[in-house]
Each structure stands twice: as C-alpha cells, then as structure tokens.
Amino acid sequence: MATAPLEGDGMGKRETGEEVVRRVGREALHFLTVAGFSGPSDVDGGLAYLGHGLKITVCHHLWIHEVGVSAFVESTAEPLPERHWLQVERLYAECGLGPPNHLPGTAANARLTEVRVRAFASALRDLLPFLLVSDRDALMHRASAR
C-alpha cells in the first residue's frame, strides 16, 4: 500500500502517514491491549490488534487522489457474507452511536492523520462493549448488509 509523505513541522524529515498511524495508534489504541487484544502488530499502512475472535486494523491509505485513514473490524471466527471486514463507521452507525460520516477518513497531512487516528480510537472505545458480547456476529452481519 503506497503512503505519501505528509506535511511535518518544517524541521527535518517528514513523517509518513503510516508512521503517524503507528506512532499515535500505539498510544491511542492501548485500551485494546488492556481489553485482552494482542498487539499492536505492524501491517501494511498501520497497526492491527487480535483478540476475542476479532482483528481490528487502523491504517493509512492512498486511494486514487485521496489520502486517508481507515479502521476495520474483522471477525476471525466467522466470515461475513458480503465482506471479510467492516468499516468502523458502519458498525458505529449500526450500534446507534452516530452517523457514518461522523468519522471521515480524509487525512491530507500529519496533523489530520493524527486527528483521524484519535477519532477512530474513540469510536472503537465506544464500540468495544458491543463487540465483546455473545451476539456480536448478528451485529456484524446487520452492519455488513447496510
């Protein structure tokens, strides 16, 4: 996955989006390790956490002419009918926590990338109680059909 260099503070080497996701994500997503997830492990563009039959990934991406940050939840126990993973925005909306566009992914510079990673961390913290219950597969199937 290609990552474009992002604006820095004008001093020294610019941090790539992937580096920002990894640096900020390790701190902002630490609550996942406290909740019993293993990780973070480095993946293409960002970080992943595994546990409770789930894989949670936050990554930086370059798609067409848009640079952004995305967060995904994947069931490792049971594949979903439509996709292998779900965007956090879909799960957030399905749980009644807010509209999907509450978590925009565009991140054209290092500061916006940091803001997006922290927004996804906050959303995942809110989603965690919904993801750690026995009927979460039903939630994930509903969200995948959305």
Side-chain angles (χ1 to χ4, degrees), residues 52-120:
H52 304 281
L54 298 170
K55 179 180 180 183
I56 296 175
T57 306
V58 177
C59 62
H60 183 266
H61 59 83
L62 176 61
W63 188 70
I64 303 179
H65 298 293
E66 186 174 297
V67 179
V69 175
S70 297
F72 306 100
V73 176
E74 178 180 352
S75 174
T76 58
E78 179 182 334
L80 298 171
E82 302 278 324
R83 322 179 160 77
H84 297 292
W85 45 263
L86 287 171
Q87 294 173 319
V88 164
E89 301 96 300
R90 285 178 175 262
L91 285 166
Y92 197 78
E94 186 63 36
C95 292
L97 297 171
N101 61 356
H102 172 69
L103 297 164
T106 305
N109 59 46
R111 178 67 186 131
L112 284 176
T113 298
E114 181 173 341
V115 167
R116 299 298 182 243
V117 171
R118 291 190 187 284
F120 280 121

Side-chain angles (χ1 to χ4, degrees), residues 13-24:
K13 179 185 171 277
R14 290 183 180 184
E15 200 172 24
T16 66
E18 185 173 329
E19 291 169 336
V20 173
V21 168
R22 288 189 177 141
R23 176 179 53 82
V24 174

Side-chain angles (χ1 to χ4, degrees), residues 20-57:
V20 173
V21 168
R22 288 189 177 141
R23 176 179 53 82
V24 174
R26 288 182 196 289
E27 179 258 320
L29 297 165
H30 177 71
F31 68 92
L32 292 172
T33 58
V34 173
F37 286 81
S38 64
S41 52
D42 291 345
V43 295
D44 194 18
L47 299 170
Y49 293 81
L50 289 168
H52 304 281
L54 298 170
K55 179 180 180 183
I56 296 175
T57 306

